Amino acid sequence: MSLEKISYRLGIEQSLSRSISFAGGFSNLTYITLKELFALPFPTKLVIEQIQAIGVQSFFLVLITGLATGSVMALQFGEGLARFGGTLYVPKLTSLAILREMGPVFTSLLVAGRIGSGMASEIASMKVTQQIDAIRALGTSPTQKIVIPRLIACLIALPLLTLFGDYVSLFGAMLISKTELNIDFSFFVAKALQTITFTDLITGLAKTVVFAFFIAIASCWKGLNTEGGTEGVGRTTTWVVVTSSIFIMIADFFLTKFFFLTVYPKY
């Protein structure tokens, strides 16, 4: 067997080994987290601090991204549908796409990039400086002090950020529709409300709950298992952003398919 084939097989085996290790570690951390979730005392103060770090400090980023996303979608749909005389369908298509897909996915990707990497690097720094060992030495569970507050904060903050991003995106789409496509605000709102339903909003928010759970657990697991000093912290940050982004895109497809089979209306 040639050297190239041996290297190729070794690369595949290493990738498979890392994937199995992550799946096992993710499952184990999930089990421990759920087991200690309701243990007393509940870390209320830590949860509030993480909600502020994850949610409040991300509002401006979601605001800018939401406005840009809604504006671009309205412009693209408007220019594309104008060729077929379908400009008046822009409010329906834009509002439906934002609530079901673009709002949840874009917001989750932003959180994965900003918050996921931040959580992972913070925990990884604690790991390489032996602060995690100090927590254990004091008789305290690292899961309860580190993982649970971040998980609960993500589960609360990400749906709220998505809801805010949805409305901002719709405002941006409505603004561009008025200035570029000559669609009145009242007409846009009427057609959007005629198209979207409460189910569209809830399913979009339900996606973010799944995304938030993965981002939080994956970031904490990778941070707790960081090795290699400061270089390891950098690798952990990159790994979390890439892995979370890939999961969000793949999970979004399967969740969308599931919702089409169960709750979305058949046309």
Side-chain angles (χ1 to χ4, degrees):
M1 185 178 297
S2 65
L3 184 59
E4 293 181 356
K5 291 184 178 180
I6 294 176
S7 300
Y8 177 73
R9 289 187 58 181
L10 288 175
I12 294 178
E13 292 176 357
Q14 290 176 357
S15 299
L16 182 60
S17 176
R18 287 193 294 266
S19 299
I20 294 174
S21 176
F22 167 67
F26 185 92
S27 302
N28 185 54
L29 184 58
T30 300
Y31 170 75
I32 296 174
T33 301
L34 295 177
K35 183 180 178 181
E36 299 183 7
L37 186 60
F38 301 102
L40 297 176
F42 188 79
T44 306
K45 183 179 179 180
L46 295 175
V47 171
I48 294 174
E49 290 176 356
Q50 291 301 318
I51 290 177
Q52 181 180 5
I54 295 172
V56 177
Q57 296 181 12
S58 299
F59 265 102
F60 183 73
L61 182 62
V62 174
L63 171 65
I64 299 301
T65 306
L67 283 174
T69 301
S71 301
V72 170
M73 289 185 63
L75 192 61
Q76 289 283 7
F77 278 133
E79 295 297 330
L81 292 174
R83 303 175 185 177
F84 311 101
T87 305
L88 297 180
Y89 290 100
V90 170
K92 293 185 175 183
L93 292 175
T94 305
S95 58
L96 200 61
I98 288 173
L99 259 64
R100 287 187 179 183
E101 292 296 327
M102 307 311 295
V105 172
F106 274 26
T107 305
S108 298
L109 289 173
L110 287 173
V111 170
R114 180 185 179 275
I115 303 302
S117 60
M119 286 193 298
S121 61
E122 181 182 3
I123 299 173
S125 299
M126 296 173 65
K127 174 69 183 325
V128 299
T129 56
Q130 299 182 343
Q131 295 182 47
I132 306 296
D133 296 333
I135 292 175
R136 291 193 179 97
L138 293 173
T140 306
S141 171
T143 302
Q144 193 170 18
K145 289 293 183 181
I146 297 174
V147 181
I148 290 177
R150 288 165 173 79
L151 173 61
I152 295 177
C154 273
L155 292 175
I156 295 174
L158 187 53
L160 293 177
L161 286 173
T162 301
L163 186 62
F164 175 68
D166 287 343
Y167 284 108
V168 170
S169 297
L170 288 173
F171 176 76
M174 185 169 59
L175 194 63
I176 291 300
S177 297
K178 172 65 175 178
T179 57
E180 299 291 336
L181 307 176
N182 296 320
I183 297 177
D184 292 335
F185 291 151
S186 58
F187 181 83
F188 188 100
V189 173
K191 289 300 180 181
L193 293 177
Q194 183 182 354
T195 304
I196 58 178
T197 63
F198 187 68
T199 300
D200 299 321
L201 176 63
I202 291 300
T203 52
L205 297 179
K207 290 180 179 181
T208 63
V209 174
V210 178
F211 301 157
F213 184 86
F214 182 88
I215 292 170
I217 297 296
S219 301
C220 292
W221 175 83
K222 190 62 177 176
L224 291 170
N225 291 274
T226 298
E227 297 177 352
T230 55
E231 292 183 1
V233 175
R235 290 194 297 269
T236 291
T237 303
T238 303
W239 182 92
V240 167
V241 174
V242 173
T243 304
S244 298
S245 300
I246 292 174
F247 174 84
I248 288 170
M249 302 307 295
I250 295 176
D252 178 62
F253 168 78
F254 287 104
L255 288 172
T256 301
K257 183 66 176 179
F258 172 76
F259 290 142
F260 268 116
L261 293 175
T262 54
V263 296
Y264 286 155
K266 304 295 189 297
Y267 297 104

